[in-house]
Structures are given as C-alpha cells and as structure tokens.
C-alpha cells in the first residue's frame, strides 16, 4: 500500500518525509488554510515538498466551471511533472478531468462519496479517486463496503483508489487487507502508526540486556 501525508504544515511534515516511508503529500484548500499557506505560496510549498522527500504532490483546483478548472489544472501541472491535479467530483470537475486527462495531465478526482462517482471518474480518465472514508461513515454510510465496491468497479480501468479522511491509524491495515492500494493520512495518524507499546516494552528489555552484556 502506498502511504501519503495529508498536510501542508512543513514542521509536521519534515520528520515524516525524512523517513522515506511516505510516497507523497496531498493537500486541499482547507489543509492549506489550516497551515496558513496562501494560494500565492503554493508554488513554494510544492518545491519544498519535492525537495524534502515527496515523490509526488497533490494540489487541488479552486475554480468552479470546467474551462477555469482546466486552465488551473494546466497551470498547476506546470509547477512540476510530479504534481497531480486534484479536481472535485462535480459535474464541471468531471468535464475538466476528461479534458485534462486527454491532455496527459494526471488527475485525482476528490471528495468522492458514491460508487457512481468512481465509475464516472474512470470514464473521465482520472488516475485516482479520493473517497472520504471518515465523512462517509459519519454520514451513516457503510464506508468500508462502498470502498470495496469502488475498488471492484475500477479494477482494470486504470483508475485507482487513494482513501482519504482516515481518522484512526488502526483503519490503515484494514484498508490494506481490503486490497485498497493507497491511503493519505494526517500527520497525527501517521505518528500513531509507529506507536506500539509491546514493541517499546521489548526494547526496554533489550536495552537492559545489552547493558548487562557490556
């Protein structure tokens, strides 16, 4: 499973990217706002992320109509050939995704909540979709079941699934066991993935034994 970080906070991202375990970084306007990153500062952020160990970076369009989304998508892609354009799963977004994909721009269709949107994303040529698992579940849907349906529907289409809105580190291995190929998590969830009390306890014993052997 490919692991991504969902953040624009440089201080929080730096140590996690340095591990080499996370393939890249996903962002959206809310994430930028929380990190205090203005739209004019996105090019600088992208450069920093790529220099800090991200293999690829995802940046979301902010326009509303298909023509403007398409123009913005090309402008974002011009920042780097390792940038993937995120486009919301609206009607205009799907039209723009089709155009951008046809022009060779990799697109992730984001804020996906229903398998119908996954099918439309494949028809539009999206590279990935980002279903919001946490929000789906909080809305009373069986998010895990819907994700499995999306994955089966997309098998062989060339469109993959990058699960977003993951609230708990324990969910990540469950998603991997379900066959989902990628997930993006906040830095707090990423840190929680490293935590295991039994491993910590074993290391205390190993350290004590090592000291006794000297």
């Amino acid at each position: 499973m490919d692991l991504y970080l969902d953040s624009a906070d440089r201080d929080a991202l730096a140590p996690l990217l340095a591990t080499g375990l996370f393939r890249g970084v996903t962002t959206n306007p809310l994430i930028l706002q929380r990190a205090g990153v203005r739209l004019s500062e996105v090019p600088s952020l992208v450069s920093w992320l790529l220099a800090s160990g991200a293999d690829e970076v995802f940046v979301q369009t902010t326009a509303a109509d298909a023509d403007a989304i398409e123009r913005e998508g090309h402008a974002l892609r011009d920042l780097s050939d390792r940038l993937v354009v995120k486009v919301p799963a609206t009607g205009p977004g799907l039209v723009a995704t089709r155009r951008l994909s046809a022009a060779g721009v990799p697109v992730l269709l984001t804020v996906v909540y229903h398998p119908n949107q996954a099918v439309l994303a494949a028809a539009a040529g999206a590279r990935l979709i980002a279903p919001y698992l946490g929000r789906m579940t909080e809305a009373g849907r069986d998010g895990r079941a819907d994700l499995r349906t999306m994955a089966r529907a997309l098998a062989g289409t060339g469109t993959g699934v990058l699960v977003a809105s993951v609230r708990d580190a324990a969910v990540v291995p469950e998603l991997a066991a379900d066959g989902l190929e990628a997930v993006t998590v906040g830095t707090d969830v990423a840190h929680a993935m490293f935590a295991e009390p039994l491993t910590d306890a074993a290391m205390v014993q190993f350290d004590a034994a090592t000291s006794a052997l000297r």
Side-chain angles (χ1 to χ4, degrees), residues 8 19 27 43 51 53 55 65 77 81 92 100 102 104 106-107 123 129 159:
T19 66
T27 69
D55 289 336
D65 66 87
R77 179 64 174 178
D81 60 4
L100 289 166
V107 175
I129 62 169
T159 300

mmCIF file of all heavy atoms in Angstrom, residues 8 19 27 43 51 53 55 65 77 81 92 100 102 104 106-107 123 129 159:
data_model
loop_
_atom_site.group_PDB
_atom_site.id
_atom_site.type_symbol
_atom_site.label_atom_id
_atom_site.label_comp_id
_atom_site.label_asym_id
_atom_site.label_seq_id
_atom_site.Cartn_x
_atom_site.Cartn_y
_atom_site.Cartn_z
ATOM 1 N N ALA A 8 -0.151 20.407 4.999
ATOM 2 C CA ALA A 8 0.690 21.429 4.377
ATOM 3 C C ALA A 8 1.569 22.106 5.422
ATOM 4 O O ALA A 8 2.160 23.149 5.161
ATOM 5 C CB ALA A 8 -0.185 22.471 3.669
ATOM 6 N N THR A 19 11.593 9.967 6.775
ATOM 7 C CA THR A 19 11.642 8.524 6.980
ATOM 8 C C THR A 19 11.732 7.771 5.660
ATOM 9 O O THR A 19 12.164 6.618 5.616
ATOM 10 C CB THR A 19 10.392 8.021 7.728
ATOM 11 O OG1 THR A 19 9.226 8.198 6.893
ATOM 12 C CG2 THR A 19 10.204 8.757 9.044
ATOM 13 N N THR A 27 -2.874 17.746 -0.542
ATOM 14 C CA THR A 27 -3.367 18.986 0.051
ATOM 15 C C THR A 27 -4.735 19.318 -0.531
ATOM 16 O O THR A 27 -5.158 18.744 -1.537
ATOM 17 C CB THR A 27 -2.422 20.170 -0.216
ATOM 18 O OG1 THR A 27 -2.463 20.501 -1.614
ATOM 19 C CG2 THR A 27 -0.992 19.853 0.184
ATOM 20 N N PRO A 43 3.278 27.444 -5.072
ATOM 21 C CA PRO A 43 4.491 27.021 -5.802
ATOM 22 C C PRO A 43 5.686 26.788 -4.886
ATOM 23 O O PRO A 43 6.424 25.813 -5.059
ATOM 24 C CB PRO A 43 4.732 28.185 -6.768
ATOM 25 C CG PRO A 43 3.378 28.764 -7.002
ATOM 26 C CD PRO A 43 2.690 28.663 -5.667
ATOM 27 N N ALA A 51 11.554 18.741 -2.611
ATOM 28 C CA ALA A 51 12.944 18.746 -2.142
ATOM 29 C C ALA A 51 13.094 18.023 -0.809
ATOM 30 O O ALA A 51 14.202 17.590 -0.463
ATOM 31 C CB ALA A 51 13.450 20.182 -2.006
ATOM 32 N N GLY A 53 11.549 15.195 0.091
ATOM 33 C CA GLY A 53 11.379 13.749 0.035
ATOM 34 C C GLY A 53 10.091 13.239 -0.557
ATOM 35 O O GLY A 53 9.923 12.024 -0.709
ATOM 36 N N ASP A 55 7.763 12.110 -3.386
ATOM 37 C CA ASP A 55 7.891 11.723 -4.792
ATOM 38 C C ASP A 55 6.875 12.448 -5.656
ATOM 39 O O ASP A 55 7.126 12.718 -6.822
ATOM 40 C CB ASP A 55 7.695 10.209 -4.952
ATOM 41 C CG ASP A 55 8.855 9.413 -4.385
ATOM 42 O OD1 ASP A 55 9.969 9.970 -4.295
ATOM 43 O OD2 ASP A 55 8.638 8.247 -4.017
ATOM 44 N N ASP A 65 -16.081 26.428 -12.790
ATOM 45 C CA ASP A 65 -16.562 25.951 -14.089
ATOM 46 C C ASP A 65 -15.469 25.167 -14.806
ATOM 47 O O ASP A 65 -14.279 25.297 -14.514
ATOM 48 C CB ASP A 65 -17.049 27.113 -14.953
ATOM 49 C CG ASP A 65 -15.930 28.053 -15.360
ATOM 50 O OD1 ASP A 65 -15.286 27.794 -16.395
ATOM 51 O OD2 ASP A 65 -15.676 29.031 -14.631
ATOM 52 N N ARG A 77 0.002 21.902 -13.073
ATOM 53 C CA ARG A 77 0.900 20.876 -13.612
ATOM 54 C C ARG A 77 2.208 21.483 -14.104
ATOM 55 O O ARG A 77 3.266 20.832 -14.053
ATOM 56 C CB ARG A 77 0.197 20.136 -14.755
ATOM 57 C CG ARG A 77 1.019 19.059 -15.440
ATOM 58 C CD ARG A 77 1.370 17.909 -14.520
ATOM 59 N NE ARG A 77 2.034 16.843 -15.274
ATOM 60 C CZ ARG A 77 2.499 15.731 -14.756
ATOM 61 N NH1 ARG A 77 2.404 15.522 -13.451
ATOM 62 N NH2 ARG A 77 3.087 14.813 -15.503
ATOM 63 N N ASP A 81 6.377 18.093 -13.009
ATOM 64 C CA ASP A 81 5.831 16.883 -13.616
ATOM 65 C C ASP A 81 5.566 15.808 -12.566
ATOM 66 O O ASP A 81 5.114 14.709 -12.896
ATOM 67 C CB ASP A 81 6.753 16.352 -14.723
ATOM 68 C CG ASP A 81 8.149 15.999 -14.212
ATOM 69 O OD1 ASP A 81 8.403 16.082 -12.992
ATOM 70 O OD2 ASP A 81 8.995 15.640 -15.053
ATOM 71 N N PRO A 92 -18.910 19.899 -13.502
ATOM 72 C CA PRO A 92 -17.833 20.611 -14.202
ATOM 73 C C PRO A 92 -16.463 19.982 -13.940
ATOM 74 O O PRO A 92 -15.603 19.958 -14.827
ATOM 75 C CB PRO A 92 -17.908 22.028 -13.633
ATOM 76 C CG PRO A 92 -19.326 22.181 -13.195
ATOM 77 C CD PRO A 92 -19.714 20.823 -12.676
ATOM 78 N N LEU A 100 -8.371 17.341 -19.085
ATOM 79 C CA LEU A 100 -7.003 17.320 -18.565
ATOM 80 C C LEU A 100 -6.356 15.958 -18.787
ATOM 81 O O LEU A 100 -5.190 15.868 -19.205
ATOM 82 C CB LEU A 100 -7.003 17.660 -17.074
ATOM 83 C CG LEU A 100 -7.321 19.117 -16.718
ATOM 84 C CD1 LEU A 100 -7.638 19.258 -15.233
ATOM 85 C CD2 LEU A 100 -6.158 20.029 -17.100
ATOM 86 N N ALA A 102 -7.057 13.774 -21.075
ATOM 87 C CA ALA A 102 -6.793 13.611 -22.501
ATOM 88 C C ALA A 102 -5.539 14.355 -22.926
ATOM 89 O O ALA A 102 -4.865 13.969 -23.892
ATOM 90 C CB ALA A 102 -7.993 14.096 -23.315
ATOM 91 N N GLY A 104 -2.926 14.580 -21.038
ATOM 92 C CA GLY A 104 -1.780 13.980 -20.359
ATOM 93 C C GLY A 104 -1.524 14.479 -18.952
ATOM 94 O O GLY A 104 -0.479 14.181 -18.368
ATOM 95 N N PRO A 106 -2.159 14.189 -15.098
ATOM 96 C CA PRO A 106 -2.727 13.220 -14.147
ATOM 97 C C PRO A 106 -3.670 13.918 -13.175
ATOM 98 O O PRO A 106 -3.336 14.953 -12.604
ATOM 99 C CB PRO A 106 -1.493 12.670 -13.427
ATOM 100 C CG PRO A 106 -0.471 13.759 -13.530
ATOM 101 C CD PRO A 106 -0.725 14.437 -14.851
ATOM 102 N N VAL A 107 -4.841 13.321 -13.000
ATOM 103 C CA VAL A 107 -5.880 13.932 -12.163
ATOM 104 C C VAL A 107 -6.351 12.949 -11.105
ATOM 105 O O VAL A 107 -6.563 11.762 -11.379
ATOM 106 C CB VAL A 107 -7.084 14.374 -13.015
ATOM 107 C CG1 VAL A 107 -8.216 14.902 -12.130
ATOM 108 C CG2 VAL A 107 -6.676 15.432 -14.027
ATOM 109 N N ALA A 123 -14.520 6.885 -16.457
ATOM 110 C CA ALA A 123 -14.924 7.341 -17.785
ATOM 111 C C ALA A 123 -14.207 8.627 -18.168
ATOM 112 O O ALA A 123 -13.937 8.871 -19.351
ATOM 113 C CB ALA A 123 -16.439 7.550 -17.836
ATOM 114 N N ILE A 129 -9.081 8.240 -7.596
ATOM 115 C CA ILE A 129 -10.179 8.902 -6.894
ATOM 116 C C ILE A 129 -9.812 8.955 -5.416
ATOM 117 O O ILE A 129 -9.033 8.130 -4.928
ATOM 118 C CB ILE A 129 -11.530 8.181 -7.066
ATOM 119 C CG1 ILE A 129 -11.476 6.760 -6.468
ATOM 120 C CG2 ILE A 129 -11.956 8.159 -8.529
ATOM 121 C CD1 ILE A 129 -12.829 6.100 -6.360
ATOM 122 N N THR A 159 -7.927 3.453 -13.294
ATOM 123 C CA THR A 159 -8.205 4.432 -12.236
ATOM 124 C C THR A 159 -8.094 3.733 -10.891
ATOM 125 O O THR A 159 -8.733 2.695 -10.673
ATOM 126 C CB THR A 159 -9.616 5.033 -12.389
ATOM 127 O OG1 THR A 159 -9.713 5.695 -13.654
ATOM 128 C CG2 THR A 159 -9.912 6.032 -11.277
#
